[in-house]
């Protein structure tokens, strides 16, 4: 049972632990969780060794981070290397669109370099021979490792190559690579010379790559010839060639395409080649010096661009700067995973997403951690591959998505229990809310009831964790992200933007900035302000719904805008609709998200063919292919629902609320349809539901 849990009464919006918790049914870490409603208490042994050993210690640190953020974050920032200290003003911000342009600055005037802090600083502290990266290939038995010394050498060689090819501070470089060691090497090389990297997930289509090339105009594109995921071979170089050709036709020419020869997937001689533009990584990069001077940059100089889906068709170029992001990712990694120098850390995310930036590359390396990278898929050669890797490298911290947890859970316990997993100490969840039953399986089976789960809520835009458990600090509830991280002030507001107290549900906003916050949308500050700061002036609006229970725990309820969260990937409905209507036989399309037991949400598309075109299986396949071609396979609709028409208001607005109910078969919850321009269309859609 919970004992001696005190209630905090410092600030109006501080987290609290209700004394009611002491009356709830609970198990102590190490005991199996029997019910999704039970509390899990940290064991005395775990808490005593934890960085934050109690809720009281958390509250002490949290209170200071809110009342005196400048002092709190300055003390942490001082643990990193700065060529020049920042000025007296640690933070400057305006989050209220009514008071002028939105702006956020942290440590302005401070001069530093994130690559130096990831590598050189760790080497100087005596960790040069420590393993920085274990790489596990797609095929079992294919692996490699790099120490911090070796990683720095590789980074410097690539940095020198980029400089020799005209890349200067502020220039952009697109990285279109699978999970090879060369991916974080490329990110760090760009950061070392002050270039802005834009990693594009190597699952996006040529058209998606074109959009990003045209937007950020890179000096160099870095890719590889192919990748093997499981038994499937994907020809990445062909995709890049197509994108570069189309970009050139749109007036954006890229002078250099550096290609890594991934010969386990495709031989060099089978790779298409353009002389004068293309170069093999292995032929040119190793010729360069392993010494490369650091380009010192201001804390507010850009570090990277990462494009994310929006509720309009064009992807948004989220821009993160150097200093605040560096401090925030390092600190969130350290505390949310209770990181110790002896830990071996594996995050299953791809560096093409923000999780790979913050918690595969930068956050762990800033802490001097040993990181596992895995090129393949979790079910190859069978569903035990994850636990084989955990045992092989003695992984202590395992961070993954609920989609993976649910897919492994469906295959049964035997794929897990045949492996030891005794090294595991902390588990983590990312990308979407994890449902309580999956949480319980993750805890009981994967972690043998020994490992707390850091169920993290955050976004591409936030740069790092915003609401997350701290292992050992307080009781956990399956499915709850629990309490805010240091410096983060989440508020739940109603439709009018009024903050709601106590137990409630509403829109999740954040007041005041935090160091890891994104600074703008590249080339479109107006869209930045409109998308994130206009709905509720004075706050950053996350776009997510949230509930807070009577004990003060936060429960994320998903997107409230037109963005679908598929396997942790945010996909704009407008993007998918645009891809569908680009098909010559599609007159109109409307896309909604529906619940999916593995993916969290799946994409459900209502499609109206052009007049005279019959519904057919060939057309269905062709429409799905159109989305795969325009965006990528991960955005392909799971269901095409034929629609002779769409439910619209008299002003022409599509009523997606009704479409969601039809897609989810909640036909008794359609509500009033008499206000539609043509109410009869709803009946026709219901009749075609299973066609």
């Amino acid at each position: 049972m919970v004992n001696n849990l005190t209630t905090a009464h410092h600030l109006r919006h501080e987290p609290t632990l209700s004394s009611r918790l002491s009356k709830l049914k609970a198990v102590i870490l190490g005991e199996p969780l029997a019910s999704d409603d039970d509390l899990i208490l940290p064991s005395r042994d775990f808490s005593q060794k934890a960085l934050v050993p109690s809720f009281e210690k958390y509250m002490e640190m949290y209170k200071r981070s809110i009342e005196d953020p400048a002092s709190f974050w300055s003390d942490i920032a001082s643990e990193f290397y700065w060529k020049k200290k920042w000025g007296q003003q640690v933070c400057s911000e305006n989050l209220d669109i009514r008071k002028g342009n939105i702006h956020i600055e942290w440590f302005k005037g401070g001069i530093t370099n994130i690559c130096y802090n990831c590598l050189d600083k760790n080497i100087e502290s005596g960790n040069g021979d420590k393993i920085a990266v274990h790489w596990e290939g797609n095929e079992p038995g294919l692996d490699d490792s790099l120490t911090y010394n070796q990683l720095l050498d590789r980074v410097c060689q690539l940095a020198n190559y980029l400089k020799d090819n005209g890349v200067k501070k502020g220039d952009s470089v697109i990285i279109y690579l699978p999970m090879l060691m060369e991916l974080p090497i490329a990110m760090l090389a760009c950061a070392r010379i002050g270039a802005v990297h834009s990693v594009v997930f190597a699952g996006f289509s040529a058209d998606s790559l074109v959009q990003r090339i045209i937007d950020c105009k890179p000096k160099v594109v870095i890719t590889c010839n192919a990748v093997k995921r499981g038994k499937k071979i994907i020809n990445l170089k062909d995709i890049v060639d197509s994108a570069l050709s189309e970009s050139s036709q749109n007036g954006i020419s890229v002078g250099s395409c550096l290609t890594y020869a991934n010969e386990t997937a495709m031989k060099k001689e089978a790779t298409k080649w353009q002389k004068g533009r293309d170069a093999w990584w292995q032929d040119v990069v190793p010729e360069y010096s392993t010494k490369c001077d650091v380009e010192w940059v201001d804390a507010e100089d850009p570090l990277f661009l990462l494009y994310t889906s929006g509720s309009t068709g064009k992807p948004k170029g989220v821009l993160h700067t150097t200093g605040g992001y560096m401090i925030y990712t390092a600190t969130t990694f350290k505390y949310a995973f209770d990181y110790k120098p002896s830990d071996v850390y594996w995050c299953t995310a791809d560096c093409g997403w923000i999780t790979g930036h913050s918690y595969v590359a930068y956050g762990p390396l800033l802490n001097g951690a040993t990181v596992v990278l895995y090129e393949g898929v979790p079910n190859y050669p069978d569903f035990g591959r994850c636990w084989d890797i955990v045992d092989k490298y003695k992984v202590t911290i395992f961070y993954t998505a609920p989609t993976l947890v649910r897919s492994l859970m469906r295959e049964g316990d035997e794929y897990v229990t045949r492996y030891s997993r005794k090294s595991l100490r902390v588990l983590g969840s990312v990308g979407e809310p994890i449902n309580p039953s999956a949480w319980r399986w993750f805890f009981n089976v994967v972690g043998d009831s020994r490992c707390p789960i850091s169920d993290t809520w955050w976004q591409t835009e936030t740069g790092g964790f915003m609401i997350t458990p701290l292992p050992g600090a307080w009781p956990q509830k399956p499915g709850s992200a629990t309490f805010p991280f240091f410096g983060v002030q989440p508020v739940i507001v109603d439709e009018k933007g009024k903050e709601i107290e106590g137990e409630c549900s509403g829109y999740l906003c954040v007041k005041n900035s935090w160091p890891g916050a994104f600074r703008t949308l590249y080339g479109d500050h107006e869209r930045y302000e409109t998308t994130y700061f206009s709905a509720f002036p004075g706050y950053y609006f996350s776009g997510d719904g949230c509930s807070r229970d009577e004990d003060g725990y936060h429960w994320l309820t998903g997107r409230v805008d037109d963005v679908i969260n598929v396997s942790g990937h945010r996909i704009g409905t407008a993007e998918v609709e645009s891809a569908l209507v680009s098909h010559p036989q599609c007159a109109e399309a409307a896309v909604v998200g529906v619940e999916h037991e593995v993916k969290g949400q799946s994409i459900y598309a209502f499609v109206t063919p052009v007049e005279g075109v019959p519904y057919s299986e060939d057309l269905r396949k062709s429409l799905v292919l159109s989305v795969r071609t325009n965006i990528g396979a991960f955005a392909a609709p799971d269901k095409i629902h034929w629609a002779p028409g769409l439910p619209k208001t008299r002003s022409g607005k599509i009523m997606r609320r009704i479409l969601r109910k039809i897609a989810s078969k909640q036909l008794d919850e359609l509500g009033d349809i008499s206000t539609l321009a043509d109410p009869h269309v709803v009946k026709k859609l219901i009749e075609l539901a299973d066609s």
Side-chain angles (χ1 to χ4, degrees):
M1 298 296 290
V2 183
N3 294 309
N4 302 318
L5 293 176
T6 61
T7 304
H9 295 290
H10 302 300
L11 298 174
R12 191 161 64 93
H13 292 295
E14 276 191 336
T16 62
L17 267 186
S18 167
S19 58
R20 192 189 77 89
L21 286 175
S22 63
K23 302 178 180 67
L24 297 179
K25 185 181 176 185
V27 300
I28 296 174
L29 198 64
E31 300 173 1
L33 181 64
S35 166
D36 297 343
D37 298 322
D38 286 355
L39 283 174
I40 300 91
L41 308 185
S43 64
R44 184 186 298 272
D45 181 61
F46 194 102
S47 289
Q48 285 178 340
K49 297 174 183 175
L51 296 174
V52 181
S54 66
F55 191 75
E56 289 76 16
K57 178 62 176 176
Y58 160 74
M59 280 307 308
E60 175 191 323
M61 296 175 70
Y62 183 78
K63 185 173 186 290
R64 182 178 173 228
S65 75
I66 300 303
E67 293 183 335
D68 191 4
S71 171
F72 180 86
W73 289 112
S74 290
D75 284 354
I76 292 174
S78 297
E79 299 172 10
F80 296 81
Y81 181 81
W82 297 81
K83 189 76 171 175
K84 177 188 171 187
K85 200 84 178 282
W86 53 92
Q88 283 190 320
Q89 190 174 28
V90 176
C91 173
S92 171
E93 66 179 41
N94 173 43
L95 271 59
D96 194 335
I97 202 166
R98 298 166 298 191
K99 297 179 180 178
N101 291 339
I102 302 296
H103 78 272
I104 299 169
E105 292 178 337
W106 283 82
F107 310 109
K108 177 82 170 168
I111 305 299
T112 188
N113 183 283
I114 196 170
C115 176
Y116 184 91
N117 277 284
C118 283
L119 304 181
D120 307 64
K121 183 173 179 290
N122 279 308
I123 291 168
E124 289 162 11
S125 66
N127 284 324
D129 291 329
K130 181 178 181 178
I131 297 294
V133 180
H134 287 299
W135 176 75
E136 176 79 5
N138 180 69
E139 299 296 332
L142 185 64
D143 54 37
D144 200 359
S145 296
L146 290 177
T147 65
Y148 273 88
N149 281 324
Q150 293 169 327
L151 181 57
L152 177 59
D153 287 350
R154 299 271 191 99
V155 166
C156 286
Q157 287 179 318
L158 180 58
N160 285 322
Y161 168 85
L162 292 172
K163 288 200 295 185
D164 204 26
N165 278 266
V167 178
K168 304 182 298 296
K169 178 183 175 183
D171 289 339
S172 65
V173 174
I174 278 188
I175 304 169
Y176 188 71
L177 282 169
M179 287 295 281
L180 306 172
M181 283 200 285
E182 284 66 27
L183 178 43
I185 286 170
M187 295 165 68
L188 290 161
C190 290
R192 191 169 192 84
I193 63 175
V196 181
H197 61 71
S198 179
V199 182
V200 180
F201 172 59
F204 274 112
S205 68
D207 288 351
S208 292
L209 189 53
V210 168
Q211 290 178 323
R212 289 149 174 80
I213 291 171
I214 291 174
D215 196 58
C216 73
K217 303 173 182 59
K219 284 280 185 73
V220 174
V221 171
I222 302 176
T223 189
C224 73
N225 53 348
V227 63
K228 194 174 180 186
R229 291 195 178 106
K231 295 181 179 180
K232 184 179 181 182
I233 294 175
I234 302 166
N235 192 328
L236 298 179
K237 182 65 164 52
D238 277 1
I239 294 170
V240 171
D241 286 346
S242 176
L244 291 175
S245 174
E246 189 173 336
S247 300
S248 181
Q249 292 169 21
N250 282 276
I252 306 298
S253 294
V254 180
S256 301
C257 178
L258 180 64
T259 306
Y260 184 83
N262 191 20
E263 293 204 79
T264 58
M266 177 182 286
K267 297 299 180 185
K268 289 170 74 171
E269 54 268 23
T271 308
K272 294 177 183 175
W273 209 246
Q274 182 173 315
K275 287 186 177 179
R277 183 198 69 188
D278 298 345
W280 287 115
W281 178 309
Q282 290 95 326
D283 289 350
V284 295
V285 173
E287 299 301 313
Y288 284 86
S289 168
T290 56
K291 307 296 179 187
C292 178
D293 291 339
V294 171
E295 181 72 40
W296 300 105
V297 301
D298 188 275
E300 282 301 322
D301 280 340
L303 174 63
F304 66 83
L305 275 172
L306 188 57
Y307 289 85
T308 184
S309 293
S311 54
T312 60
K314 183 186 175 187
K316 306 187 295 282
V318 169
L319 178 69
H320 280 284
T321 52
T322 302
Y325 174 84
M326 176 175 77
I327 301 309
Y328 198 70
T329 53
T331 308
T332 48
F333 173 82
K334 175 181 176 180
Y335 287 107
F337 294 123
D338 189 47
Y339 171 72
K340 308 294 197 313
S342 58
D343 280 319
V344 176
Y345 167 80
W346 180 22
C347 170
T348 64
D350 191 290
C351 285
W353 309 103
I354 187 64
T355 304
H357 284 59
S358 298
Y359 301 113
V360 172
Y362 292 119
L365 295 177
L366 286 164
N367 281 278
T370 295
V371 180
V372 174
L373 294 182
Y374 176 44
E375 178 193 18
V377 292
N379 61 349
Y380 181 78
D382 62 36
F383 283 92
R385 186 66 186 277
C386 285
W387 322 121
D388 180 46
I389 293 171
V390 164
D391 283 358
K392 178 176 179 177
Y393 297 106
K394 301 294 185 284
V395 172
T396 59
I397 304 171
F398 178 72
Y399 188 41
T400 193
T403 300
L404 177 60
V405 174
R406 287 191 293 265
S407 65
L408 296 177
M409 179 179 165
R410 288 181 69 185
E411 299 303 317
D413 297 356
E414 63 273 15
Y415 284 108
V416 184
T417 56
R418 69 173 63 158
Y419 296 95
S420 163
R421 297 158 287 108
K422 293 299 182 188
S423 59
L424 288 174
R425 191 175 69 83
V426 175
L427 302 175
S429 172
V430 60
E432 58 182 307
I434 182 169
N435 53 300
S437 61
W439 199 104
R440 179 155 55 101
W441 183 84
F442 199 25
F443 177 80
N444 282 343
V445 180
V446 175
D448 282 333
S449 309
R450 298 178 292 101
C451 306
I453 299 175
S454 287
D455 178 6
T456 60
W457 174 78
W458 60 298
Q459 301 173 312
T460 303
E461 294 87 348
T462 71
F465 305 146
M466 300 292 280
I467 305 176
T468 177
L470 299 186
W474 56 71
Q476 293 192 278
K477 294 184 178 185
S480 171
T482 70
F483 298 107
F485 192 73
F486 306 126
V488 177
Q489 297 186 69
V491 294
I492 299 175
V493 303
D494 62 18
E495 291 189 356
K496 295 180 180 178
K498 181 182 177 183
E499 292 184 25
I500 316 172
E501 303 293 331
E503 186 178 0
C504 62
S505 293
Y507 301 95
L508 181 58
C509 295
V510 183
K511 65 178 181 181
N512 299 334
S513 71
W514 59 97
F518 70 138
R519 304 307 198 240
T520 191
L521 294 176
Y522 182 68
D524 199 347
H525 196 73
E526 182 180 352
R527 188 182 182 192
Y528 168 74
E529 295 182 331
T530 302
T531 304
Y532 301 99
F533 299 95
S534 63
F536 303 108
Y539 304 99
Y540 164 76
F541 175 42
S542 68
D544 281 338
C546 184
S547 296
R548 185 171 52 230
D549 67 21
E550 58 188 311
D551 301 313
Y553 284 66
H554 293 81
W555 302 78
L556 277 298
T557 56
R559 302 297 299 174
V560 297
D561 60 9
D562 292 327
V563 175
I564 303 170
N565 195 325
V566 180
S567 300
H569 304 152
R570 290 172 59 194
I571 301 167
T573 57
E575 274 189 285
V576 182
E577 289 165 2
S578 177
L580 288 166
V581 298
S582 70
H583 191 287
Q585 293 181 310
C586 177
E588 195 170 27
V591 168
V592 297
V594 296
E595 287 189 15
H596 189 283
E597 64 173 337
V598 173
K599 299 178 184 179
Q601 282 187 298
S602 66
I603 297 174
Y604 194 110
F606 293 84
V607 173
T608 304
V610 298
E611 191 68 32
V613 173
Y615 308 144
S616 70
E617 187 59 27
D618 286 345
L619 177 57
R620 191 192 308 270
K621 291 177 180 177
S622 184
L623 287 163
V624 172
L625 181 61
S626 180
V627 177
R628 295 172 70 99
T629 302
N630 280 275
I631 304 174
F634 61 92
D638 284 79
K639 169 76 174 179
I640 300 287
H641 186 132
W642 301 122
L646 296 171
K648 297 178 183 178
T649 63
R650 291 180 177 88
S651 64
K653 181 182 178 182
I654 297 172
M655 295 295 287
R656 284 181 173 78
R657 171 185 60 80
I658 293 174
L659 294 179
R660 289 189 191 97
K661 296 299 182 185
I662 294 172
S664 301
K665 300 189 185 303
Q666 297 171 321
L667 303 182
D668 56 343
E669 300 177 23
L670 292 175
D672 183 14
I673 62 172
S674 63
T675 57
L676 295 176
D678 180 10
H680 298 292
V681 77
V682 175
K683 182 182 178 183
K684 294 175 185 174
L685 289 174
I686 293 170
E687 290 172 351
L688 288 166
D690 298 316
S691 64

